[in-house]
Amino acid sequence: MAEQHTLPNPLTVDDIARIDFAKSGGLVPAVVQHADTLQVLMLGYMNTDALRETLTGGQVVFYSRSKDRLWRKGETSGDVLVLDQVLADCDEDAVLVLARPEGPTCHTKTTSCFGMENAPGIGFMAHLAKVVTERAEASPADSYTARLMHKGIAKIAQKVGEEGLETALAGRAGDLDELHNEAADLLYHLSVLLMARDTGLGPVLDILRERHKG
């Protein structure tokens, strides 16, 4: 039987004393991931005060080694990182920060300091959901998503059914290029349907996780 692993609980202010700041001279590495897409955004460093400010203030604060002081991400640019949660690694000498960026994270004005403008892999679905939400607010004359939303939930659901059938047919008799394109259409229209019902992929993934546990 495979060993079962559970994620550590999010840190609270009461947990700060557990973190081994002394191991690296008073600082711990802080890897920042997008809370929705899990895209790696940046690497910073925190001391005790930076971690406390992060946990209590709701925005991510680092210790700047070049400025020798606390540095709130976005304090001059306005491109802040809104905190979701902080996790400690197994040795409690590094932290993982899950946050939602308001604007680009990198000083070069890109999403990630590691050169990836969009989330890789399945994380792009969360980015797609954000794009769908933004385009739904556009003028129907300028956006297919807005036009689809304007037609109502019945039409959106119908499109999901149509795309599901086309995907199945492509899977049975089409080539891989056709299958990939039809599957892309299906995922897009499913994203629109979930948004139209004021939900998203999160609850769907939660159900899949629970089924996997079983």
Side-chain angles (χ1 to χ4, degrees), residues 125-145:
M125 287 300 299
H127 175 74
L128 175 62
K130 180 175 181 292
V131 172
V132 165
T133 301
E134 292 171 350
R135 292 185 180 175
E137 301 297 324
S139 167
D142 300 326
S143 168
Y144 171 75
T145 303

Side-chain angles (χ1 to χ4, degrees), residues 91-187:
D91 293 324
E92 298 189 324
D93 59 3
V95 295
L96 175 65
V97 180
L98 298 175
R100 293 181 176 86
E102 294 188 350
T105 298
C106 186
H107 72 281
T108 62
K109 297 301 180 184
T110 58
T111 300
S112 167
C113 292
F114 294 94
M116 298 179 293
E117 187 55 29
N118 292 318
I122 196 65
F124 183 76
M125 287 300 299
H127 175 74
L128 175 62
K130 180 175 181 292
V131 172
V132 165
T133 301
E134 292 171 350
R135 292 185 180 175
E137 301 297 324
S139 167
D142 300 326
S143 168
Y144 171 75
T145 303
R147 290 195 296 275
L148 193 56
M149 287 291 292
H150 185 71
K151 293 177 181 178
I153 192 71
K155 181 62 176 178
I156 299 170
Q158 178 186 335
K159 286 296 296 181
V160 172
E162 292 173 358
E163 298 298 344
L165 177 59
E166 291 176 6
T167 300
L169 292 173
R172 181 176 185 273
D175 59 26
L176 285 180
D177 186 61
E178 182 181 359
L179 174 59
H180 293 160
N181 277 281
E182 294 298 345
D185 289 342
L186 175 59
L187 290 174

Side-chain angles (χ1 to χ4, degrees), residues 35-86:
D36 299 318
T37 69
L38 300 184
Q39 180 178 11
V40 176
L41 301 177
M42 65 172 289
L43 169 69
Y45 293 87
M46 291 183 176
N47 62 4
T48 303
D49 291 337
L51 181 55
R52 181 177 292 105
E53 286 287 327
T54 297
L55 292 172
T56 59
Q59 293 182 355
V60 181
V61 177
F62 300 100
Y63 182 83
S64 172
R65 294 172 298 170
S66 59
K67 299 175 182 177
D68 194 26
R69 65 172 176 83
L70 295 187
W71 166 60
R72 184 180 304 277
K73 174 69 178 71
E75 63 185 17
T76 56
S77 66
D79 299 327
V80 300
L81 293 168
V82 179
L83 181 67
D84 182 73
Q85 58 183 311
V86 180

